[in-house]
């Protein structure tokens, strides 16, 4: 059976020319911010990838096809579409089979990128182990995907609303390399540093690319997580953001927010409590990750 892949003209040309390509998720468009800021941010991140020497491939599920790269009109339409499914491994096939419109999370983007032959993916932060997971068992599918799908994911660590030490433990158990790019601690998403030591450190993209190639040579499944700190000039200090995260978590518990609703609720409340500073930092770190991902993709050519 033919894979349901549709490539944009730009991505098709890049594939034919052997140019580096960077996958981008689409939940930032449909679930991350309102119109037209979502469209403008998506276009700006794509431009950052191009300026860094690679071709962006924003991924979404539209009309029973995995769209690898979105034409300008398609991106505009998606950015204004309501009730878009937020897709992970569990519901990706169902969305394709039923004709639903879906935005891809980290896990789903990894799957689609691999099907399209794309080896590098830039995102904001991965999902992970939620606080209180010992009672709720709320653990993101992103972690297992990193252990199964051979894509290098560039992120500013795990989202800071999570239980980061437990997230690191699960990644270790699953055999996922967690590589700090020029850092000895795991970035804390909005903050450049944390108290969590990074398992591996690499200071240049050649090392990161070589590690990915060696995993393939050894027959090891899965990808790599490259943890790229937000630039210090654009971070929110941990001493500032941590009390805000705690307040948002307490509010979520009091209101009975659970399962897939937890992350969007927390991110929205943190946005409100920081007067928008959290979103500004989020956009900055996504651009920073896009630049690094483009450099890694070029090294892998």
């Amino acid at each position: 059976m033919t894979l349901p892949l549709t490539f944009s003209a730009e991505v098709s040309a890049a594939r034919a020319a052997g140019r580096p390509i960077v996958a981008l998720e689409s939940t930032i468009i449909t679930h991350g911010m309102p119109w037209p800021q979502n469209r403008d941010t998506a276009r700006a991140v794509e431009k950052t990838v191009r300026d860094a020497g690679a071709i962006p491939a924003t991924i979404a599920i539209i009309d029973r096809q995995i769209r690898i790269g979105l034409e300008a009109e398609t991106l505009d339409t998606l950015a204004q579409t309501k009730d878009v499914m937020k897709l992970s491994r569990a519901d990706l096939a169902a969305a394709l089979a039923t004709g639903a419109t879906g935005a891809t999370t980290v896990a789903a983007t990894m799957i689609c990128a691999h099907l399209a032959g794309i080896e590098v993916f830039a995102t904001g932060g991965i999902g992970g182990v939620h606080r209180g997971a010992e009672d709720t068992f709320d653990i993101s599918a992103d972690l297992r995907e990193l252990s199964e799908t051979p894509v290098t994911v560039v992120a500013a660590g795990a989202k800071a609303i999570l239980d980061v030490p437990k997230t690191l433990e699960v990644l270790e158990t699953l055999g996922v390399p967690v590589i700090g790019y020029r850092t000895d601690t795991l970035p804390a998403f909005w903050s450049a540093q944390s108290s969590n030591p990074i398992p591996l450190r690499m200071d240049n993209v050649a090392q990161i690319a070589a590690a990915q190639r060696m995993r393939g040579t050894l027959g090891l499944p899965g990808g790599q997580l490259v943890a790229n700190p937000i630039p210090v000039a654009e971070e929110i200090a941990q001493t500032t953001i941590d009390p805000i995260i705690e307040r948002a978590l307490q509010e979520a518990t009091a209101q009975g927010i659970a399962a897939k609703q937890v992350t969007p609720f927390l991110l929205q409340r943190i946005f409100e409590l920081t007067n928008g500073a959290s979103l500004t930092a989020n956009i900055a770190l996504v651009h920073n990750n896009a630049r690094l991902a483009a450099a890694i993709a070029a090294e892998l050519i």
Side-chain angles (χ1 to χ4, degrees):
M1 182 177 179
T2 303
L3 287 170
L5 295 173
T6 296
F7 296 92
S8 69
E10 182 182 32
V11 173
S12 291
R15 282 163 52 87
R19 295 191 62 189
I21 302 172
V22 172
L24 300 170
E25 65 179 279
S26 47
T27 51
I28 192 173
I29 302 170
T30 58
H31 294 78
M33 56 193 74
W35 168 269
Q37 189 177 20
N38 56 350
R39 176 203 61 193
D40 296 343
T41 299
R43 286 182 174 176
V45 173
E46 289 187 340
K47 183 177 184 301
T48 293
V49 173
R50 293 186 190 101
D51 290 347
I55 297 300
T58 302
I59 296 175
I61 308 306
I62 302 171
D63 295 333
R64 302 178 190 270
Q65 290 290 302
I66 300 172
R67 301 298 181 101
I68 308 295
L70 301 181
E71 308 292 356
E73 289 184 4
T74 305
L75 194 156
D76 285 0
T77 299
L78 180 65
Q80 298 176 80
T81 302
K82 305 297 183 184
D83 300 320
V84 176
M85 290 181 69
K86 187 176 182 180
L87 301 177
S88 190
R89 172 176 280 267
D91 40 20
L92 176 61
L96 284 163
T98 60
T101 298
T104 55
T105 60
V106 169
T109 305
M110 289 182 70
I111 293 168
C112 296
H114 179 53
L115 291 173
I118 300 172
E119 298 182 281
V120 184
F121 162 38
T123 186
I126 64 163
V129 180
H130 281 263
R131 302 188 195 198
E134 60 271 23
D135 297 317
T136 64
F137 289 86
D138 192 351
I139 301 174
S140 171
D142 295 352
L143 303 186
R144 183 168 293 280
E145 203 60 53
L146 278 159
S147 74
E148 295 183 3
T149 302
V151 172
T152 288
V153 178
V154 181
K159 293 182 176 70
I161 58 176
L162 302 169
D163 188 321
V164 176
K166 286 188 176 67
T167 298
L168 279 171
E169 289 292 342
V170 172
L171 287 167
E172 180 183 19
T173 298
L174 294 173
V176 177
V178 181
I179 302 166
Y181 181 65
R182 299 179 179 175
T183 180
D184 293 316
T185 69
L186 185 73
F189 195 61
W190 293 295
S191 308
Q193 301 293 325
S194 75
S195 59
N196 299 287
I198 201 83
L200 298 165
R201 173 175 174 148
M202 295 183 184
D203 290 344
N204 60 71
V205 295
Q207 293 173 326
I208 295 169
Q212 176 162 323
R213 286 284 178 257
M214 185 56 70
R215 288 185 66 79
T217 299
L218 297 175
L220 295 172
Q224 306 180 127
L225 174 62
V226 177
N228 185 33
I230 181 174
V232 173
E234 297 172 294
E235 73 169 345
I236 302 176
Q238 276 201 293
T239 52
T240 300
I241 197 68
D242 283 353
I244 292 172
I245 294 172
E246 289 300 328
R247 177 177 170 182
L249 285 163
Q250 291 169 8
E251 291 179 7
T253 300
Q255 296 179 38
I257 307 295
K260 283 191 173 183
Q261 300 307 313
V262 172
T263 295
F265 173 85
L266 292 175
L267 294 179
Q268 178 60 31
R269 280 301 289 142
I270 292 166
F271 170 79
E272 294 164 358
L273 293 168
T274 60
N275 296 314
S278 63
L279 180 58
T280 300
N282 195 344
I283 292 171
L285 65 86
V286 170
H287 283 281
N288 193 46
N289 295 340
R291 285 187 288 269
L292 178 56
I296 296 169
E299 190 69 29
L300 285 165
I301 293 298

